[in-house]
Amino acid sequence: NAGVTQTPKFQVLKTGQSMTLQCAQDMNHEYMSWYRQDPGMGLRLIHYSVGAGITDQGEVPNGYNVSRSTTEDFPLRLLSAAPSQTSVYFCASSYSQGAGGYTFGSGTRLTVV
Amino acid sequence: GENVEQHPSTLSVQEGDSAVIKCTYSDSASNYFPWYKQELGKGPQLIIDIRSNVGEKKDQRIAVTLNKTAKHFSLHITETQPEDSAVYFCAAFSGTGRRALTFGSGTRLQVQP
């Protein structure tokens, strides 16, 4: 049972490049979300999904796109990377939005130069 | 939307002492309050949670208390050990508006042997 798997673990991008951060879970969780973690600011919600085909914006959605074509996968796309998007990104899943705790992946450390 | 404030940002205790981390939330509709522990280079891991219909919950050396009237909740760790050293995050889930966890800014706990 792998839980929540994020790839890659580390990535360096040049300003303006695009990329996709992958997230997959094998727990049949309906709810999935993306957070970014910056020093002193905790975890801020980027986008979330309550099930396949349903996504919504979080607190800091600008510059990011998501889609949810299957229950298992929830990729995060950076459209045109900016230095302000340098951060650690975490994907999380739960069987319900608020009925239980989230299971987090191990994170992707992204640097935009 | 929900706003969660967490204090202190850093906490240093001697091994065997108790540690207390406090959080306040703004949305009176919030009804679920988890605590996460994050070790270096890893994703946050749920350690304990409490729902709004309960005032206190214990799990071995850790406990969480909730005061709905004052809108604050606290994490208590007794008989601290060096392996308790980590960053701890509180969070609150609101059933209204953006239905997602809002996190505090984190507390770095250092247990001195």
Side-chain angles (χ1 to χ4, degrees), chain A residues 35 37 90 97 99-102, chain B residues 32 36 38 43 51 89 99 101:
Chain A
Y35 286 85
Q37 184 175 30
F90 287 100
Q97 278 180 285
Y102 293 2
Chain B
Y32 174 65
Y36 288 83
Q38 186 179 29
R51 301 192 183 279
F89 291 97
R99 293 170 53 84
L101 281 180

Side-chain angles (χ1 to χ4, degrees), chain B:
Chain B
E2 175 65 278
N3 181 52
V4 178
E5 294 191 356
Q6 182 172 347
H7 300 280
S9 56
T10 60
L11 180 59
S12 182
V13 300
Q14 291 295 123
E15 183 177 358
D17 287 350
S18 295
V20 180
I21 302 170
K22 298 181 179 181
C23 290
T24 61
Y25 61 98
S26 62
D27 188 349
S28 57
S30 289
N31 55 16
Y32 174 65
F33 307 92
W35 285 87
Y36 288 83
K37 176 183 181 181
Q38 186 179 29
E39 297 176 335
L40 194 62
K42 297 183 178 181
Q45 184 173 15
L46 178 70
I47 56 171
I48 195 168
D49 56 13
I50 192 168
R51 301 192 183 279
S52 58
N53 59 347
V54 176
E56 183 177 6
K57 184 177 179 180
K58 291 183 179 179
D59 183 4
Q60 299 183 338
R61 294 187 298 109
I62 60 173
V64 57
T65 58
L66 171 65
N67 184 327
K68 285 194 301 181
T69 302
K71 290 191 282 188
H72 67 70
F73 55 115
S74 300
L75 177 71
H76 304 253
I77 305 174
T78 59
E79 302 174 14
T80 54
Q81 302 167 3
E83 52 265 37
D84 293 330
S85 296
V87 178
Y88 291 81
F89 291 97
C90 63
F93 177 83
S94 175
T96 61
R98 185 183 303 124
R99 293 170 53 84
L101 281 180
T102 299
F103 285 83
S105 55
T107 296
R108 183 173 298 278
L109 174 64
Q110 182 69 42
V111 180
Q112 307 289 345

